[in-house]
Structure formats: C-alpha cells, structure tokens
Amino acid sequence: MNKTVIRGLGLLLGTGLNAGAAMALEGDVQRGQEASATCVACHTADGSGLNVPGGESWPRLAGLDSGYIVKQLHDFQEGRRENASMKLFANMLDDQQIADVAAYYSQMPVTPAQGGEEAGEALLERGEQLAKRGDWDAYIVSCKSCHGPGSEGVGSDFPGIASQHADYIATQLQAWKNDERSNDPQNLMGAIAKRMSDEDIQAVSAWLARQSVTAE
Amino acid sequence: MKLSKITLAVLGASLAAGLGVTAYAASGENGQGESPYQGLTALGYPAPQEGQLVHVPPTMADLDDADIHPELKKVIRRGYELFTDTQQLRGENVFNDMNCSSCHLGEGRQPFSAPIWPAAVTLPGFRGKNQHVNNLEERIAGCFAYSMNGTPPEYGSDDMVALSAYHQWLATGAPMYPDQPIYGRGFQAPPDPEQEPDYARGEEVYQAQCTICHQDDGAGHYEEGEYVFPALWGDGSNNWGAGIVRTHTAAGFIKNNMPLGQPNSLSDQQAWDVAYYMVSQERPQDPRYTGDLDETLELFGSTFHRHSRYGEVREHDDHRLADHANTGEKDFLKPWNVGVSRFEELSE
C-alpha cells in the first residue's frame, strides 16, 4: 500500500502529490533567507504576515508547502493570479530564488493568525461545520475534504488554511466568487467558493483563523 | 396520486404538484417553503418528477433538537461517527482505506450518491445479489464484506445497532415500503455512451481530472496516517465483489459525484470511459471466490459479474482480471456473513 507522507519532505520539491513542471529546482534555505529581504516588510521576519481588516492583508507564509509557494509566485509573475503588490515583488525573483524563498518559508513553524476575534458562538459553529462537515444541502464540500485533516494542507496542491489570517481567507474566497482569482487546478476551489454566502465566508474564515497548528 | 402514503405533509405546494414529499419537520430552514432539492438542478441533476417519493433526511443539527430519548441520540450519533469515520474499525471490521462516506457522499444523505435511508424503508426485502430476503443489518453487513473489504460487526452488536439506528433516523418521516420510485436513489448510470467505453480515453480523463487527488496509481492519499483521498483500486480499495466494480454503477457514481465538488461536469462519454478505466484495474479478490476463477464466474456471473470485468482479459496487456488469490490487507478470504443461505425451510 502506498501511503505517501509529504509533510517534512517540503524541501524535496517534486515528491509525492503534484510533481509540477515548475518544480525541478531544489531550493536552499540559506539563500532563501537572503532573497526574502524584500519580503519582510509585509510578510514579516517570522513569516506571519499581518491581518489588515478592510485593507490588503498579508498572508502568513510560514509553514506553507514549498511547492505551493513556488506555484503561487510563478502564477503572480505570469498573471495567472493577479495582485499588484505581489506581481512587483514576484518579478524581482528568478526561478532559483523562487525555489529558495519557498524552501525558506516552508521550513518555518506555523504562526498564530489574527482576525475573527469578535465572532460570536453561532458564527464560529457555522464555520466549524463548513470546515469539518461542509453543507451538502448547498453542495459546499467540507474544507477538510481537500485541505486535509485539520485543514492543515495536503501536498503542494492543497495549501494549509488553518491558522491563516481571517481577512486574507475571506478576501481569497471573495476573489474566487467574483472571478478575480482562478489559478486553482481544475476550478476545484472556485466551484466551492461560488456556493458560499458572504456569511459562510465570514464564518469559516473566523473559525480557521482561530485554529492553532501544532508543530510537526 | 399517492397522497395517502405520505406521513408528513410539510410542503403543500409540492404535494399539489403530485410529488410525494416527506421531510423531517425540524429541517424546515433548508426547505425554505420551496420544493426540496431545487438547488440540485443547477448542478445538473434532474428535478424530482411527478409520482416520485422525495424525502429530505434530517441533519445532525436536527438530531440535537429532536424530541427523542437522549440515549437514542447518543446511539444515532455513534452510528453517524462510524459511518463517516469507519476507519476507527480498521483491522477489526475494515481492511481497506475507506469510510462508508467515501462512496455515500454528504454523510449518506445526498441524492444520486446512493443515500442510505431507502434501505431502512425497503428492507426486509429480496436482494438479487444473495438471492434471499435481507434486513437492514444484513444489507449493511454486505457493504462491510465487499466495499470495505472487511468483515461486519456481529448482528445486534453495539456498532451494528448504532449504524442501523443512523440509517433509520435518516428515514424519519418516509413511508415504509413505498410504492413510488425514490428520487435520487442509488448511483444512476448516465445514458449509454455513443462510443463503446474505452480504456485509453478513460486513462486520459483520469490523468487530467482525477490524479491530483487519487494519484497516478489509484491508491489515493493518506496525510500523516489520516484519511484524505480514498483508493480507487489496489489493496486499499474495495474488493471485486463490491457493487461499484460494475461498470454502470461506477459510471453512475462518477458522473454524479466526481471530481469532488463538481458533479455532472464530465460528459456521459467521459464518465463511462473513466469508469471503464477504473474497473479495469486490479483489486482484492471477491470473498465469494471458490479458488477457481471460472467456477466463481459460473456461480456469480448471472447475478453479478456479468456487469463487471471480473475474469475478462484486459485488451492492452492481456492481463486476466481477478485471476489471483490476493485478499488485500486482510488475512482471510471470506467473512462470516458471505454465502450464508436463509429461509431454506420456506423453499420447496
């Protein structure tokens, strides 16, 4: 039986789930740290980013899968994922540096998230339901079905979303809903986001932000 | 009209239209006064037809609010947990990488994903598969023996009672032995494809649409020992005796449920092709295997394997399917419930 264990192999790009074309390069943590000098202004030195309610939140990068980071940076460069600030900074990196920063951020421990602090009990309960069981009457498949146990991520294709900032999660889901983000494979995320109400988005974002991810 | 059959007339409008609608009274929020399941048509499913029995099973939230004995609630909840996390019985009753909800999506409530409540209102009933009258426990036991490549909990055991209680709770409000066809029952096969299902075309669909989750080798994926994506074939999957190895059942499952979150997105041809590709792969032996493939086919061909590729020779590599004695992870072939005849004294 083949039970691939991906976590902890983050540096070996191209193993297990999704051996995409862009992942041939091996990243170096040391070089990645150097290349990340321009990133800390927003994503901060510990990779935790910042929740900016009503503004542009800076996502936590610490502990994200390296293959996922590589894919996103290429997507920003090539316009498959659109964001003015990130296009600028992604364009400063060559392919090797992309692999390096990905290696660097992926080995950092996951940091706690912000947002959702004022969410009431009913909202959090709804969020937990969506994350763990989904709402099949609206054909919203549970987040964990794809994002894995605890929604902590599966391989390079399904990023960890637990302990990500609430406003960042909400912005991304809204972007999918409004056809402003569509770089997901096979429209897997878009199909789900389009079935979610604004309240669903608020609920699940708040709940996910309040989950802590324990170190491996 | 079969109005006399309806136990819970919640939706006047739908009844007037001739639908036999039943629903658990407390789940009114979801129905919102409209006929149920209207949202499914936007996802490409057929709307309920006149004369069909349409039943909306209660949810776990409804269970919290239900006016039933707290001990019964606990048992139903235990049944729900066993159904959605059957892996907790791994090594005891389950010997593959699946949960019941791996095939019965949406916690066993979802139309076109073989919702499980119909079994509670149509059994005891005759099953062609084992040629005798089965009750609900025996039906559940069948899924353990074949779909879970395992061996069922004893009839009447705590786990068996909990599972049947969950099935029966989902049927709350539905009429017993309905004489109307049930909306959304089973895995309904798409219409026959224009071209014969084809292995190579199926493989292409598989590579493009399925490997991201189920992997190239069909083995699915576990993340740090926890279930994420189930195995479509190989040792971690269902065995050759499971209903889903029949090509039309596999096509029906896939068309109506896969890729996850995008039902009815494949064309009928794609669904048949990828189903054919999947059912042309190896998996653990059918527990009814006698030790001889031809003899087994002789015995179970007419009731079952005429719809599967069991014993057929694969065109591209001349491999004869199921010609092996591999039982997967379990170290026995036949669980206690397989091949037990019933009611022999009643037959002349």
Side-chain angles (χ1 to χ4, degrees), chain A residues 136-139, chain B residues 36-48 110-112 183-184 263-264:
Chain A
W136 284 86
D137 290 339
Y139 219 91
Chain B
Y37 297 139
Q38 288 308 308
L40 290 182
T41 56
L43 294 166
Y45 295 105
Q110 194 64 17
F112 305 98
Y183 173 71
N264 300 306

Side-chain angles (χ1 to χ4, degrees), chain A residues 2 4 17 133 137 186 195, chain B residues 30 80 209 215 217 261-262:
Chain A
N2 174 13
T4 338
L17 288 173
R133 290 184 279 127
D137 290 339
Q186 298 171 228
R195 297 179 196 132
Chain B
N30 294 322
Y80 163 84
Q209 305 244 30
Q215 306 298 290
D217 63 359
Q262 313 197 29

Side-chain angles (χ1 to χ4, degrees), chain B residues 88-158:
Chain B
Q88 60 188 293
L89 304 178
R90 181 73 174 246
E92 228 174 299
N93 305 104
V94 176
F95 291 84
N96 69 8
D97 290 343
M98 292 202 195
N99 297 318
C100 303
S101 54
S102 299
C103 297
H104 301 282
L105 268 50
E107 313 174 335
R109 296 174 69 245
Q110 194 64 17
F112 305 98
S113 193
I116 54 170
W117 62 267
V121 295
T122 57
L123 300 175
F126 181 79
R127 277 197 82 201
K129 187 167 178 177
N130 55 20
Q131 296 288 310
H132 63 249
V133 170
N134 294 220
N135 70 356
L136 179 58
E137 288 198 340
E138 189 168 359
R139 182 69 188 84
I140 293 170
C143 269
F144 273 101
Y146 302 107
S147 288
M148 315 302 285
N149 193 36
T151 184
E154 295 292 325
Y155 295 147
S157 64
D158 288 2

Side-chain angles (χ1 to χ4, degrees), chain B residues 35-116:
Chain B
S35 29
Y37 297 139
Q38 288 308 308
L40 290 182
T41 56
L43 294 166
Y45 295 105
Q49 298 296 305
E50 185 159 338
Q52 285 182 328
L53 170 64
V54 182
H55 169 68
V56 183
T59 63
M60 292 312 282
D62 294 328
L63 180 64
D64 292 338
D65 304 337
D67 184 20
I68 56 177
H69 199 285
E71 289 304 315
L72 176 56
K73 282 192 193 183
K74 279 193 216 159
V75 171
I76 293 170
R77 218 169 273 128
R78 166 80 180 148
Y80 163 84
E81 273 152 22
L82 286 167
F83 192 84
T84 52
D85 177 19
T86 328
Q87 284 297 309
Q88 60 188 293
L89 304 178
R90 181 73 174 246
E92 228 174 299
N93 305 104
V94 176
F95 291 84
N96 69 8
D97 290 343
M98 292 202 195
N99 297 318
C100 303
S101 54
S102 299
C103 297
H104 301 282
L105 268 50
E107 313 174 335
R109 296 174 69 245
Q110 194 64 17
F112 305 98
S113 193
I116 54 170

